[in-house]
Amino acid sequence: QIPNAPLVIEEIEVTPPQKNELRIKVIATGVCHTDLYHLFEGKHKDGFPAVLGHEGAGIVESVGPGVTEFKPGDKVVPLFISQCGECRFCRCPKTNLCERSWSSERYASMSDAESHFTCRGQAILQFMGTSTFSEYTVMNQVAVAKIHEDARLDRVCLLGCGIPTGYGAAINTAQVTPGSVCAVFGLGAVGLAAVMGCKNAGASRIIAVDINEKKFEKAKVFGATEFVNPSAHSKPISQVLHELTNGGVDFSLECVGNVAVMRSALESCVKGWGVSVLVGWTDMEDFSARPIQLISGKTWKGSLFGGYKSKDFVPVLVHDYMSGKIKLDEFVTHSMTLEQVNDAIELMKTGGCIRTVLNISTE
């Protein structure tokens, strides 16, 4: 795939799994905004050609030597954040980063230097270490979660990125408290998952902020209590929220990936104890704010994959879905085939979907 162009479907060669690796038959994958970010915004020259997709679920097809926790037939979710369990980050309870991940050095290109794919003799990169827009992918066992054998793969694929990212940002990173007032900026899948996290954490008011009012009905399903369209106001959104909440919200979550919105989200927080979390992925521009925002007692922090240690918690979230604690079905607005991937990308670009799931293979 080349940047700024429609995806093309090609036959590729996928290597057999080597030591500590498994080859996965991808059954279903979500189309996430981060795929679009790489294609249309990041466009890093070292990040192409690549197979995109990073929000998938599948079945183990074969395993390489040294793989003990997986066997062919297991249902799995490939993970864009590994969890080796041994590095200083994995051993630290404060973070879910891992030194064995592509992201520890290659944020810009968004892939590992090594790949398991070739096309007509040319190496093809694995986007975010996963590449779920492929019928088969090969991953190291430190970056795969084994999940319940009855899990519905065309739903739990969303637990590979968007839903834990938003949900965990509210639960783990912001640590939303019962009775608190929250604002969520951006009502894509990540923002709606953040709304769900605020609700499950017991927030009393959840203000959903988006310029696309068509998303407000959907936000209600996940627990939003109020809605604000910044475009409908002449004054800054932070001022609107201050007036609505007697001085600002307790928690705000930026789920867009836009540095101007990040600043608005911080400025929407109440002084003294307000917490604002950056959730939307971007690495293109600097963000800025006046120092008094933090000196006055606000906290500004970021969240990657909702703070979840990936191998430990994706199986837990699958269980939470199967037991009804978290919603997944409600995020899926469209189902398509791999051949329709460009239609799915167009839908997301125009805000016409929440999540499109591509059915890649049959089980």
Side-chain angles (χ1 to χ4, degrees), residues 268-341:
S268 298
C269 281
V270 68
K271 64 185 178 187
W273 62 79
V275 174
S276 190
V277 181
L278 312 188
V279 192
W281 177 281
T282 184
D283 192 25
M284 302 287 294
E285 298 169 75
D286 294 345
F287 60 47
S288 62
R290 291 287 173 92
I292 192 70
Q293 291 289 325
L294 302 186
I295 293 168
S296 68
K298 299 183 188 183
T299 303
W300 212 5
K301 57 208 292 201
S303 183
L304 182 63
F305 197 58
Y308 287 113
K309 286 189 184 283
S310 56
K311 279 177 74 92
D312 288 348
F313 279 96
V314 166
V316 174
L317 290 166
V318 168
H319 182 266
D320 286 349
Y321 163 62
M322 293 175 73
S323 66
K325 188 179 168 189
I326 63 171
K327 299 178 184 341
L328 290 181
D329 302 5
E330 291 80 357
F331 289 97
V332 181
T333 51
H334 298 76
S335 290
M336 297 186 179
T337 63
L338 182 58
E339 287 68 34
Q340 296 170 287
V341 63

Side-chain angles (χ1 to χ4, degrees), residues 34-149:
T34 308
D35 299 308
L36 275 66
Y37 168 85
H38 186 62
L39 193 56
F40 300 115
E41 294 174 49
K43 298 186 290 196
H44 195 278
K45 63 176 176 27
D46 298 337
F48 296 90
V51 176
L52 296 183
H54 63 283
E55 191 178 74
I59 293 169
V60 177
E61 178 263 346
S62 55
V63 299
V67 174
T68 51
E69 59 180 299
F70 299 93
K71 62 185 188 304
D74 283 349
K75 287 188 177 180
V76 291
V77 171
L79 305 165
F80 72 85
I81 296 191
S82 54
Q83 187 187 348
C84 72
E86 292 161 8
C87 71
R88 62 190 177 131
F89 293 99
C90 281
R91 290 201 306 264
C92 173
K94 295 178 182 173
T95 182
N96 62 342
L97 302 183
C98 172
E99 284 185 327
R100 293 281 300 277
S101 180
W102 60 273
S103 59
S104 57
E105 273 140 33
R106 291 173 56 93
Y107 267 125
S109 61
M110 299 192 74
S111 60
D112 256 330
E114 290 175 23
S115 174
H116 301 87
F117 299 153
T118 51
C119 181
R120 296 193 290 276
Q122 182 185 8
I124 306 290
L125 295 171
Q126 272 179 261
F127 179 62
M128 292 178 81
T130 54
S131 290
T132 56
F133 295 176
S134 168
E135 292 173 327
Y136 289 90
T137 189
V138 177
M139 313 251 330
N140 190 292
Q141 61 181 349
V142 300
V144 181
K146 181 175 170 177
I147 60 169
H148 196 287
E149 60 186 16

Side-chain angles (χ1 to χ4, degrees), residues 180-197:
S180 60
V181 177
C182 301
V184 175
F185 290 73
L187 299 175
V190 172
L192 292 171
V195 168
M196 178 169 71

